[in-house]
Amino acid sequence: MNPGPARAVPRGSAPPSAGGTPTGRAGWHRRVAALPLGYLAGLVVLGLAHPFLPAWRWTAIHLLLLGAVSNAVLVWSAHFAAAVLRTPAPARRRADAARLGILNAGVLAVLAGGTADRPWLGVGGAALVFAAVAAHLAGLARRLRRALPARFTVTVHYYLAAAVALLAGVPVGAWMLVVDDALRPRLLLFHAHVNVLGWVTLTVLGTLLTLWPTVLRARMADGAVRAATVALPPAVAGLVLLGAGVLAWWRFVAAAGLLLFAVAALLALRPALAVARRRPPDTFAGWSLAAASGWLLVALAVDAVTLLSAAGPDAAADRFDAVLLPLLVGFVAQVLVGSLSHLLPMALGGGPGPVRRRTALLQRHGAQRVVTANAALAVFVLPGPPFVRITTSLLILAALVQFLVPAARVLLSARSRSRGRAAHAKVADPRPLREDAGARPLGGVAAGLALVLVAVVAGVAAQRVSDGAPVPAAATGVAPTGHTTTVAVVADGMRFHPDRIDVPPGDRLVIELTNRDHRRHDLVLDSGAKTARVATGGSARLDAGVIGAVVQGWCSLPGHRQAGMTLRIVPTGPVSAEPPAGTAAPHLDAMADPGPAFTARDAAAPAVPPGRLHRRELHVQEVQREVAPGVRQRLWTFDGTVPGPVLRGRVGDTFEITLVNDGTVDHGIDFHAGAVAPDQVMRPIDPGQRLTYRFTATRAGIWMYHCSTMPMLHHIGNGMYGAVIIDPPDLPRVDREYVLVQSELYLGPDGDPGDLAKMQAERPDAVVFNGYVAQYVHRPLPARTGERVRVWLLDAGPERDSSFHVVGAQFDTVYREGRWENRPADPGGAQALQLGPAAGGFVELTFPAAGHYPFVSHVMVDAERGARGLFEVR
């Protein structure tokens, strides 16, 4: 559709000035189109490899927004601006190419700096991005000043406002790379809102004015230009209020700004809805843009609820993930893919035939792709088992691949045509666009829904396998009375109220469970009946069947039963025997050899990372691991290891740790290295949720971190602990550094979690260093004579003291709980480092001669239980 009086647009026509594109312009679009496609391909690779990559989520967000979207905005906003202002594009695009070169150099530097913890590299990249967008803004303003009055000038005004928004958001993002303080959550909210709603959403709203009727091949709605003109000032005003509100944490001001922005967006989109009513979308591009607009409104509504309900900026920043997913995947990514599907074939030129063939290829299976992506995203954002989230996220990636593969074919075929090697490039079925794109949409809808259904079923099945087999049923052996007894049970304070239910024998029992606790609970009976997991404030109805024997009930979430969350159903007449006891724990031999294939945990201390801001994602993973030769336990872990990863920094460094719960029950985290109010950052989060924990290390030492979820004894005792080393100022260099974390094992049945009853009775089956019985006896720690060796020690407990001793050696340096107790120049020495649970320190020593030096906890019963190892000195 060309600027001018609103009129019917011929089938297959291009957006402003795209039809009949000269060869030079087609070559330009072919080259620059590869940029966003390349970033989207990187996003697919990242999605598949993310379990092995640090800070992958931050990288994914910036690959999409800063990489793919910013390149598309710079290219296509310039294209549309030239069209609506009726100004010719330059014959030579040196300035445009320079801007894109600077932008992408900046994007790559930001990505490298953020993922490799090189903050100043990221700041330099942000400066390049700022320069490229500033040049883009100046170019648009210059073109607007030179142009004659035009009907669609308001589109360029949207682009100018969007560029200004990004120029406000980029410096804040750069600031967060190098500085962290109490303002960080507010800066994060400002940066995210201004960049996504300003840079992206304003650009989209301005472009849809002319692009949407073109995609639908329909007349523009009466009053569309006026609606866009009227909507822009309140959109900008709302964005300003929103930014000021989150920076000052005036949440009602921020919410008011968000509401004003949403009203402006609705006003701008209303003419598009009128066009769609006359001529509904029938292509992949049209369906994608329509669905993206819906996700935008959903994200704005969720955002408003998040801002109004958050107790403070920390909580709002942590809960912003619920906004980001529909905003980035549902709106931003879908707008980008839908727009490129429509624009690429026409921008590459070549006449009606090649345009139709390229369009047909990009629109193929359109209904299935749109339904798959949107239904999978809808399932993903709803509460559900972790495995269902995994399978649906893979479907979303597959839908993106379904666009990238034909888009790459279109670019390659256009390149071949431009070189004269394929005058009749076989791109796709040459049927007309409308015939191909709209053919059998109901079949595509059914296929898309079927794919999502299969993904959900596969996820549920995988979750059930992961969760284990159901509880065996108990026989009743009583004649039914035909009467039903209904009892209300409340879950609160890790207890069921009442915890005993008396029922006449033969009556059917129905339990109405209400959860008033701050955590999820369920009710499982040994007869096999059970409820789903009930969220706070929720309820469930459980048909316990005919009661003729004593029935035991409990909450099945790990540790809740052992913590006392049980009930008994007792017939008022004669009853049958109690259910049999469970499976016994496996036998553990602390002297057994793990065999030649065994690999011990690397005890070497990590180096202090560069920079003063350390970002890390820790994923809760429930894994089966060998903890002694032939003994496996189902452990709850941080990042799949026991203990969790060792973190390190210096006094004054800031840590930003994002906890991601990939487990099946709720978990939290507590960092002793930071002094923060525990209310928000230490709260338990449900499976699939995430929270960000920020703290600045103000004091040196080796500090424990652990799960903060009750019963804490069970979570720590089953593997959820780790160490943070904060170096004392001017800590001398040594030749070798090791980290040993002492803890206990309380074995449950083989392959099951640890036994909470043993933990409560303080009856450990083993005491270990770094999670495995006597592993360094079989894989000694190396050293050389005369070398200075530093050993960091943390007693993670949760119950036993430690008294670290090296047989045949003495410590000339002892640092315990933030205090130097011995220095090399002191005349005295030390034979042991004594620590209670959650305490830590380090010792230093040199070995006088070659040989094998045992190290133990000199609580000798614990040494015999496995708290021992060897230094092999050469």
Side-chain angles (χ1 to χ4, degrees):
M1 176 175 176
N2 294 315
R7 58 182 177 83
V9 181
R11 181 177 301 177
S13 66
S17 79
T21 307
T23 303
R25 191 176 304 172
W28 163 257
H29 281 292
R30 185 182 66 249
R31 291 189 295 272
V32 297
L35 294 171
L37 297 182
Y39 286 109
L40 290 176
L43 197 59
V44 173
V45 173
L46 182 67
L48 297 175
H50 76 271
F52 313 103
L53 300 174
W56 69 269
R57 182 174 168 275
W58 181 93
T59 305
I61 292 171
H62 289 81
L63 271 173
L64 175 62
L65 289 178
L66 202 56
V69 171
S70 293
N71 272 282
V73 169
L74 253 65
V75 171
W76 292 104
S77 60
H79 174 77
F80 274 80
V84 301
L85 296 176
R86 299 181 179 274
T87 57
R92 309 181 74 175
R93 295 182 178 267
R94 290 179 178 176
D96 291 341
R99 281 195 290 269
L100 286 175
I102 294 170
L103 172 70
N104 285 281
V107 170
L108 294 177
V110 169
L111 292 172
T115 55
D117 198 16
R118 296 290 190 274
W120 289 105
L121 177 60
V123 170
L128 291 176
V129 172
F130 187 95
V133 176
H136 172 69
L137 174 64
L140 289 176
R142 188 165 51 250
R143 179 171 284 175
L144 184 62
R145 286 196 305 269
R146 294 174 179 175
L148 296 173
R151 184 184 180 202
F152 300 109
T153 301
V154 67
T155 294
V156 185
H157 293 161
Y158 274 88
Y159 296 158
L160 294 173
V164 171
L166 188 69
L167 294 181
V170 165
V172 173
W175 185 7
M176 288 192 296
L177 286 173
V178 293
V179 177
D180 194 19
D181 51 29
L183 285 177
R184 182 175 180 81
R186 306 181 189 197
L187 298 177
L188 177 63
L189 291 170
F190 178 89
H191 177 70
H193 281 104
V194 169
N195 284 1
V196 180
L197 298 185
W199 175 236
V200 181
T201 308
L202 288 179
T203 299
V204 170
L205 293 177
T207 303
L208 287 180
L209 174 64
T210 54
L211 179 62
W212 180 247
T214 305
V215 170
L216 300 188
R217 300 174 304 283
R219 286 176 53 89
M220 179 179 289
D222 295 335
V225 176
R226 176 171 174 74
T229 305
V230 171
L232 181 57
V236 173
L239 201 59
V240 171
L241 283 176
L242 177 58
V246 296
L247 280 179
W249 193 239
W250 300 329
R251 58 177 179 171
F252 291 106
V253 173
L258 189 62
L259 177 62
L260 187 58
F261 186 90
V263 169
L266 284 170
L267 182 60
L269 291 173
R270 185 178 177 183
L273 179 60
V275 174
R277 285 175 177 171
R278 293 198 313 265
R279 191 180 185 90
D282 62 353
T283 64
F284 171 76
W287 294 323
S288 294
L289 293 174
S293 301
W295 282 111
L296 172 63
L297 300 179
V298 169
L300 292 176
V302 174
D303 199 2
V305 172
T306 299
L307 287 175
L308 288 173
S309 61
D314 286 324
D318 288 339
R319 293 165 58 187
F320 192 64
D321 290 329
V323 181
L324 273 181
L325 197 62
L327 194 57
L328 296 186
V329 179
F331 172 61
V332 175
Q334 202 158 206
V335 160
L336 180 61
V337 169
S339 299
L340 289 178
S341 296
H342 180 79
L343 293 170
L344 274 181
M346 290 171 283
L348 296 176
V355 168
R356 277 198 299 271
R357 288 192 291 270
R358 296 184 192 117
T359 301
L361 179 58
L362 287 172
Q363 304 285 356
R364 184 168 291 174
H365 309 300
Q368 172 263 309
R369 292 154 56 193
V370 171
V371 171
T372 297
N374 286 277
L377 179 58
V379 173
F380 186 92
V381 299
L382 294 173
F387 279 97
V388 172
R389 295 168 65 86
I390 291 172
T391 54
T392 51
S393 65
L394 290 174
L395 269 189
I396 295 171
L397 283 179
L400 179 57
V401 171
Q402 280 187 289
F403 162 73
L404 289 175
V405 171
R409 289 179 60 192
V410 164
L411 291 181
L412 291 174
S413 67
R415 181 184 180 192
S416 299
R417 184 181 183 88
S418 69
R419 293 185 176 183
R421 292 201 301 260
H424 299 285
K426 295 181 180 179
V427 178
D429 188 338
R431 289 178 293 176
L433 165 63
R434 189 176 183 86
E435 208 176 303
D436 181 74
R440 293 182 294 180
L442 291 180
V445 171
L449 291 175
L451 286 172
V452 176
L453 181 61
V454 169
V456 170
V457 171
V460 169
Q463 194 69 58
R464 287 186 176 178
V465 171
S466 175
D467 289 345
V471 184
T476 58
V478 65
T481 65
H483 182 262
T484 298
T485 298
T486 302
V487 177
V489 174
V490 174
D492 192 15
M494 293 293 287
R495 292 292 186 273
F496 289 118
H497 308 278
D499 60 3
R500 175 183 170 122
I501 302 174
D502 293 321
V503 184
D507 273 17
R508 176 176 294 276
L509 174 65
V510 173
I511 298 174
E512 295 180 344
L513 176 66
T514 302
N515 184 10
R516 294 181 186 166
D517 208 348
H518 66 285
R519 308 176 54 188
R520 297 185 309 157
H521 295 293
D522 62 9
L523 176 57
V524 173
L525 305 181
D526 61 9
S527 62
K530 61 181 179 179
T531 70
R533 290 175 181 172
V534 182
T536 301
S539 60
R541 186 179 177 90
L542 174 64
D543 186 346
V546 174
I547 303 301
V550 173
V551 179
Q552 304 288 346
W554 60 89
C555 178
S556 71
L557 275 77
H560 291 205
R561 181 182 187 182
Q562 294 89 337
M565 201 163 185
T566 61
L567 61 76
R568 297 174 76 231
I569 302 170
V570 181
T572 53
V575 299
S576 63
E578 297 282 348
T583 308
H587 172 69
L588 185 150
D589 182 359
M591 304 296 292
D593 190 325
F598 173 71
T599 300
R601 178 183 171 115
D602 186 1
V608 177
R612 305 310 299 265
L613 172 61
H614 310 303
R615 289 194 180 96
R616 177 74 184 253
E617 280 196 357
L618 290 180
H619 288 253
V620 174
Q621 297 178 4
E622 299 174 8
V623 298
Q624 282 203 7
R625 290 284 186 270
E626 188 176 75
V627 295
V631 178
R632 297 182 68 82
Q633 290 284 276
R634 185 172 182 83
L635 302 171
W636 305 331
T637 72
F638 295 109
D639 275 7
T641 67
V642 175
V646 177
L647 311 179
R648 193 165 188 177
R650 295 159 292 180
V651 173
D653 285 5
T654 296
F655 292 78
E656 182 181 298
I657 310 298
T658 300
L659 179 69
V660 183
N661 189 353
D662 292 332
T664 59
V665 298
D666 51 343
H667 294 287
I669 197 165
D670 173 9
F671 283 95
H672 293 190
V676 297
D679 305 68
Q680 289 295 325
V681 294
M682 298 184 196
R683 71 184 187 275
I685 58 173
D686 289 338
Q689 293 184 340
R690 56 198 298 135
L691 68 79
T692 300
Y693 192 125
R694 302 176 190 86
F695 66 90
T696 298
T698 57
R699 298 184 184 277
I702 178 169
W703 304 85
M704 183 176 176
Y705 67 87
H706 60 85
C707 183
S708 57
T709 299
M710 297 297 292
M712 208 176 297
L713 173 63
H714 198 197
H715 288 250
I716 297 173
N718 202 48
M720 299 197 75
Y721 56 85
V724 179
I725 297 175
I726 305 299
D727 285 5
D730 303 319
L731 182 67
R733 293 178 60 86
V734 293
D735 298 297
R736 296 179 191 267
E737 273 190 295
Y738 293 111
V739 181
L740 298 176
V741 180
Q742 179 180 308
S743 62
E744 301 117 45
L745 294 174
Y746 300 85
L747 301 180
D750 197 42
D752 281 4
D755 189 331
L756 180 56
K758 289 183 180 179
M759 300 176 197
Q760 292 168 329
E762 300 184 44
R763 292 187 289 106
D765 293 285
V767 180
V768 299
F769 289 123
N770 290 349
Y772 193 96
V773 171
Q775 60 181 316
Y776 302 116
V777 170
H778 309 286
R779 303 293 184 270
L781 301 179
R784 292 186 175 274
T785 57
E787 287 184 334
R788 174 160 289 276
V789 178
R790 177 181 296 137
V791 184
W792 292 89
L793 274 300
L794 174 69
D795 182 5
E799 305 289 355
R800 305 289 295 173
D801 290 347
S802 177
S803 181
F804 182 74
H805 170 72
V806 178
V807 179
Q810 297 173 337
F811 306 142
D812 62 20
T813 301
V814 176
Y815 183 91
R816 183 163 67 94
E817 284 295 282
R819 183 167 62 90
W820 295 94
E821 296 185 351
N822 288 86
R823 299 267 197 163
D826 296 341
Q831 57 197 307
L833 174 61
Q834 295 179 329
L835 302 169
F842 67 78
V843 295
E844 294 179 8
L845 70 160
T846 57
F847 295 98
H852 290 82
Y853 293 75
F855 60 83
V856 297
S857 170
H858 221 285
V859 180
M860 295 311 300
V861 66
D862 290 343
E864 294 175 2
R865 286 169 169 161
R868 63 183 186 275
L870 288 174
F871 284 107
E872 185 175 57
V873 181
R874 298 180 182 274

